[in-house]
């Protein structure tokens, strides 16, 4: 058994796929950093707002004052280019992993699963020998040069990709996707500039294609007979998402995963034909074999289990949002809401309504009126602010939330002092009222 596992995981194969992925990934990291400056994202997310909504538990994180976030992102961009060319690779990818984690945890107003996946990939790439060929490092120090890697790297990366797509598939088995109402609503909002996407046949096509793609893409890529069908579907799917939804580098990062599904001979021939090709097929068992297998297995197990946590939490995750993050629940719902934050002085009983625009950007306002973790954090922010002025206050929230174009329903219990409650990542919060259940939503304007 041990010998079979060693043969399966530690047989050496040509490393062209990993090297080509490093080059593409590094370029995309640089584009993400420099693009965030050029598009104004850094200004909107970190410079203009009075404060940022961090992930709960990381409230100690603060943006770098003044315009230094521009410098911070610029250095990230340089680190991405260093990853691309393989110069000081380990230092550069470690720096990007840490700094991306910082900005990821620092603000969640623009949260999506793509940012989470990029954070994971940064840390994974630290431990992979992606710089040992076609790199400045291997040119400067020929002793590190290798044209091969363990086949287990393929197994690990494909395993992670499969988990992501599998959960994206499972999450689509809910009424709004299966009856086509969410694709219709999504196209009426995010795809409203495309007349062709407003037809019923387009909504049905998106429904079936989205579900089928997530379900079959990895098996079809693994099977030689269906691989090119899957490649064509991938190109169409990810370019469609890029053009219609404008979700940054993720579609191109997802397309770069295709490198790991073709034979090593093909990848070498197409992308790195000047690099020596390795075909000896040796089995080289690393010194820390057991640690490597255990670490990889534990990581994939966590990726399998973490998205299931919402099933242990009371009520529907679509309504409560509890357990939504870090679970590959992608492009599944749209939340709108209106919330009134009421402050009551505990000593005098005086009440006043908070003007949200005095504190928040327009994007933060939308989130704080529809997402419970934002509501709770803003209540804590208000409590701290008034405490600094010598006032002890309660914060009540009267919020109505609508999912996927539905008429808003009462979301919070307006009699509960939210500022006096605790937040638990793995439990239901009783101030969130029960889900009103499903009814078929109507597109805006109908």
């Amino acid at each position: 058994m041990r010998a079979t596992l060693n043969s399966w995981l530690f047989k050496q194969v040509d490393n062209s796929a990993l090297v080509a992925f490093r080059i593409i990934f590094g370029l995309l990291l640089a584009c993400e950093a420099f693009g965030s400056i050029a598009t104004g994202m850094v200004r909107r997310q970190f410079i203009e707002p009075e404060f940022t909504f961090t992930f709960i538990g990381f409230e100690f994180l603060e943006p770098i004052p003044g315009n230094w976030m521009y410098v911070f992102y610029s250095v990230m961009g340089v680190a991405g280019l260093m990853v691309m060319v393989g110069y000081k690779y380990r230092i550069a990818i470690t720096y990007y992993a840490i700094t991306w984690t910082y900005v990821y945890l620092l603000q969640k107003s623009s949260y999506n699963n793509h940012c989470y996946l990029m954070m994971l990939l940064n840390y994974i790439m630290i431990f992979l020998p992606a710089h040992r060929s076609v790199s400045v490092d291997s040119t400067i120090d020929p002793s590190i040069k290798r044209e091969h890697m363990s086949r287990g790297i393929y197994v690990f990366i494909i395993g992670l990709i499969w988990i992501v797509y599998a959960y994206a598939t499972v999450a689509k088995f809910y009424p709004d996707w299966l009856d086509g109402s969410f694709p219709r609503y999504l196209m009426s909002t995010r795809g409203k500039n495309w007349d062709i996407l407003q037809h019923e046949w387009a909504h049905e096509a998106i429904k079936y294609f989205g579900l089928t793609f997530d379900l079959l893409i990895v098996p079809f890529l693994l099977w030689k007979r269906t691989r090119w069908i899957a490649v064509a579907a991938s190109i169409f799917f990810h370019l469609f998402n890029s053009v219609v939804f404008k979700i940054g580098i993720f579609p191109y990062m997802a397309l770069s995963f295709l490198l790991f599904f073709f034979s090593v001979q093909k990848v070498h021939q197409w992308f790195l034909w000047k690099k020596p090709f390795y075909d000896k097929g040796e089995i080289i068992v690393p010194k820390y074999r057991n640690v490597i297998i255990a670490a990889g297995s534990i990581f994939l197990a966590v990726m399998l289990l973490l998205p299931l946590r919402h099933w242990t939490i009371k009520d529907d995750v679509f309504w409560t949002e509890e357990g939504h993050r870090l679970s590959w629940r992608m492009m599944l719902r749209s939340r709108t809401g209106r919330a009134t934050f009421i402050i009551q002085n505990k000593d005098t009983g005086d009440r006043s309504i908070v003007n949200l625009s005095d504190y928040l950007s327009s994007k933060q306002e939308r989130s704080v009126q529809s997402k419970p973790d934002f509501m709770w954090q803003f209540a804590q922010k208000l409590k701290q602010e008034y405490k600094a002025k010598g006032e002890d206050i309660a914060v009540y929230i009267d919020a109505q939330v609508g999912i996927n174009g539905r008429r808003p329903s009462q979301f919070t219990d307006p009699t509960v002092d939210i500022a006096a409650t605790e937040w638990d990542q793995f439990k239901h919060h009783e101030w969130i009222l029960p889900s009103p259940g499903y009814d078929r939503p109507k597109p805006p304007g109908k």
Side-chain angles (χ1 to χ4, degrees), residues 171-190 316-319 321 324 329-337 370 401-409 436-446:
K172 286 183 173 64
F173 282 91
Y174 86 106
D176 286 14
W177 188 274
L178 296 178
D179 68 11
S181 57
F182 178 66
R184 182 178 66 246
Y185 179 78
L186 188 64
M187 291 305 103
S188 69
T189 54
R190 302 286 295 277
D316 187 347
V317 62
F318 280 97
W319 175 250
E321 289 279 299
H324 171 82
R329 304 178 62 81
M330 298 179 279
M331 286 291 184
L332 290 173
R333 55 86 178 101
S334 177
R335 298 175 70 89
T336 56
S370 63
V401 170
I403 309 294
N404 297 347
R406 291 179 174 83
R407 186 185 303 277
S409 300
Y438 283 105
D439 58 341
R440 189 179 180 89
K442 296 180 180 180
K446 293 189 177 182

Side-chain angles (χ1 to χ4, degrees), residues 260-279:
F260 297 101
F261 291 92
F262 284 96
S263 69
V264 292
Q265 293 87 351
K266 290 292 186 184
V267 174
H268 176 267
Q269 176 187 341
W270 292 336
F271 296 98
L272 298 173
W273 58 89
K274 292 185 178 180
K275 181 183 89 69
F277 181 72
Y278 175 89
D279 60 358

Side-chain angles (χ1 to χ4, degrees), residues 130-285:
H131 65 309
R132 294 199 166 192
S133 183
V134 194
S135 67
V136 176
D137 285 348
S138 64
T139 301
I140 294 173
D141 182 7
S143 67
I144 71 166
K145 193 174 184 65
R146 302 287 187 278
E147 308 299 344
H148 56 85
M149 66 180 187
S150 296
R151 183 164 56 185
I153 292 173
Y154 274 90
V155 175
F156 180 83
I157 292 175
I158 291 173
L160 175 60
I161 296 168
W162 206 336
I163 289 171
V164 172
Y165 280 118
Y167 276 114
T169 302
V170 172
K172 286 183 173 64
F173 282 91
Y174 86 106
D176 286 14
W177 188 274
L178 296 178
D179 68 11
S181 57
F182 178 66
R184 182 178 66 246
Y185 179 78
L186 188 64
M187 291 305 103
S188 69
T189 54
R190 302 286 295 277
K192 60 185 177 182
N193 295 326
W194 297 76
D195 291 339
I196 194 173
L197 299 179
Q198 308 312 313
H199 298 282
E200 189 66 26
W201 65 263
H203 307 151
E204 289 295 301
I206 291 168
K207 176 181 75 174
Y208 287 110
F209 184 79
L211 185 60
T212 305
F213 180 86
D214 289 340
L215 178 65
L216 297 178
I217 186 60
V218 173
F220 271 39
L221 284 170
L222 288 171
W223 192 26
K224 188 175 181 179
R225 291 186 178 182
T226 55
R227 186 168 297 146
W228 279 108
I229 297 174
V231 169
S234 294
I235 293 172
F236 173 79
F237 178 81
H238 292 298
L239 291 184
F240 176 88
N241 286 341
S242 178
V243 171
V244 175
F245 301 123
K246 297 178 175 59
I247 49 177
I249 68 166
F250 175 74
Y252 308 98
M253 184 171 68
L255 286 173
S256 68
F257 292 142
L258 295 174
L259 291 165
F260 297 101
F261 291 92
F262 284 96
S263 69
V264 292
Q265 293 87 351
K266 290 292 186 184
V267 174
H268 176 267
Q269 176 187 341
W270 292 336
F271 296 98
L272 298 173
W273 58 89
K274 292 185 178 180
K275 181 183 89 69
F277 181 72
Y278 175 89
D279 60 358
K280 295 179 181 178
E282 302 167 287
I283 298 174
I284 302 176
V285 180

Side-chain angles (χ1 to χ4, degrees), residues 313-315 320 322 424 426-433:
I313 302 174
K314 179 181 174 182
D315 213 334
T320 68
E322 296 164 320
D424 193 317
F426 295 92
K427 291 183 180 179
H428 176 62
H429 302 86
E430 295 299 333
W431 53 267
I432 302 175
L433 297 179

